[in-house]
Amino acid sequence: MTTIIDGTAGVTFPAGGVGNTASAVVGLTDTQTLTNKTLTSPTISLLSSASATALTLQSAGTNGVIIDTSQNLQFNSGYGSVATAYGCRAWVNFNGTGTVAIRASGNVSSITDNGTGDYTVNFTTALSDANYVASANASRLNDRNTFGNIGYQSTYAGNRTTTILRVYSMTTDGFTLTDTDMFDVIVIR
Amino acid sequence: MNKRIIYPTDDGGVAIIIPSDCGLTIEQIAAKDVPTGKPYKIVDIADIPSDRTFRNAWEYQE
């Protein structure tokens, strides 16, 4: 039997829903277990009440992913327990020799070739502040040992801002700027 | 993207912007990543020398 409810005013659904059928209406305060259900264009949100805790996804009865009430994403994924994950907010892999080119990147709109071994990473979306952690790695090229260096000078803080990060490729035996063909930069915040 | 953006540096050299495939146009990247107040040009990638032996001697020409 199908019952059609026309209108919303004055309609009260009992906790537990109206029956336990595939098309049952779920009560607003009830807890239901969905099995073999497909959500079409779903929006999953927590109740904005004081009792709201976290969005938790379990696998084999163990918490796998949690978004807590402070909007922190936590996951296990082999770590051993569910813990807050800290995001890589920008990354880029580029060739700094010959025709300088970006191989792949995330949240990087461009790099600027300032000169030999001197590059600026430009972020697509600005970071929330400049207190991020950055790491740069320059590969060894033509039997010449090199390393990546994060640019920061207290007298020129413009090397590291919410929108750009200047990086250098240097030789290990004299600290002179040199081009490198494999330069990696990551920014974590 | 087979385009590059060039602009003069404060020390008389030239900076070259290499765009990524971030979804922005070359014009949008120029507006965002060229330092404020600097003149710039959008050029073909073939216009940039691949021999960087004397990279620090390159100059920006109006």
Side-chain angles (χ1 to χ4, degrees):
Chain A
M1 181 184 74
T2 300
T3 301
I4 300 174
I5 301 173
D6 186 6
T8 56
V11 178
T12 301
F13 299 109
V18 184
N20 187 24
T21 64
S23 59
V25 177
V26 178
L28 294 177
T29 60
D30 191 37
T31 298
Q32 295 272 310
T33 298
L34 301 179
T35 303
N36 296 328
K37 303 292 185 185
T38 299
L39 302 179
T40 302
S41 301
T43 298
I44 301 175
S45 58
L46 299 176
L47 294 175
S48 57
S49 67
S51 63
T53 53
L55 178 62
T56 303
L57 302 179
Q58 292 188 336
S59 175
T62 302
N63 289 347
V65 177
I66 294 175
I67 299 176
D68 69 18
T69 53
S70 296
Q71 292 77 52
N72 293 315
L73 170 65
Q74 305 176 343
F75 63 81
N76 185 332
S77 192
Y79 182 68
S81 62
V82 173
T84 300
Y86 300 95
C88 175
R89 304 299 182 178
W91 60 274
V92 62
N93 172 334
F94 66 88
N95 180 357
T97 64
T99 300
V100 177
I102 295 173
R103 294 188 180 90
S105 64
N107 194 30
V108 169
S109 58
S110 68
I111 59 170
T112 304
D113 162 21
N114 302 301
T116 301
D118 181 346
Y119 317 94
T120 299
V121 178
N122 301 298
F123 304 135
T124 307
T125 300
L127 277 72
S128 57
D129 58 44
N131 297 326
Y132 47 79
V133 170
S135 180
N137 180 65
S139 67
R140 179 177 180 174
L141 178 65
N142 298 332
D143 294 329
R144 188 173 53 202
N145 289 324
T146 60
F147 68 99
N149 187 32
I150 300 296
Y152 181 74
Q153 300 167 356
S154 59
T155 55
Y156 183 42
N159 278 353
R160 182 191 185 105
T161 73
T162 59
T163 57
I164 68 104
L165 175 68
R166 197 159 180 170
V167 295
Y168 305 94
S169 172
M170 293 178 163
T171 62
T172 57
D173 57 350
F175 305 117
T176 57
L177 292 173
T178 185
D179 289 333
T180 188
D181 64 339
M182 185 67 75
F183 204 117
D184 311 307
V185 181
I186 60 172
V187 174
I188 297 173
R189 182 70 173 92
Chain B
M1 192 179 291
N2 292 323
K3 295 289 185 181
R4 297 290 186 262
I5 304 160
I6 61 174
Y7 65 87
T9 59
D10 293 338
D11 59 4
V14 59
I16 303 159
I17 292 180
I18 297 93
S20 74
D21 293 325
C22 62
L24 298 177
T25 66
I26 191 75
E27 290 81 10
Q28 289 172 322
I29 291 173
K32 191 178 78 62
D33 294 343
V34 174
T36 303
K38 291 281 189 185
Y40 68 86
K41 294 179 185 175
I42 297 173
V43 301
D44 288 332
I45 191 172
D47 294 334
I48 306 296
S50 59
D51 183 349
R52 295 171 56 85
T53 305
F54 301 103
R55 170 63 183 87
N56 292 342
W58 295 0
E59 295 179 348
Y60 180 91
Q61 292 185 337
E62 296 289 345

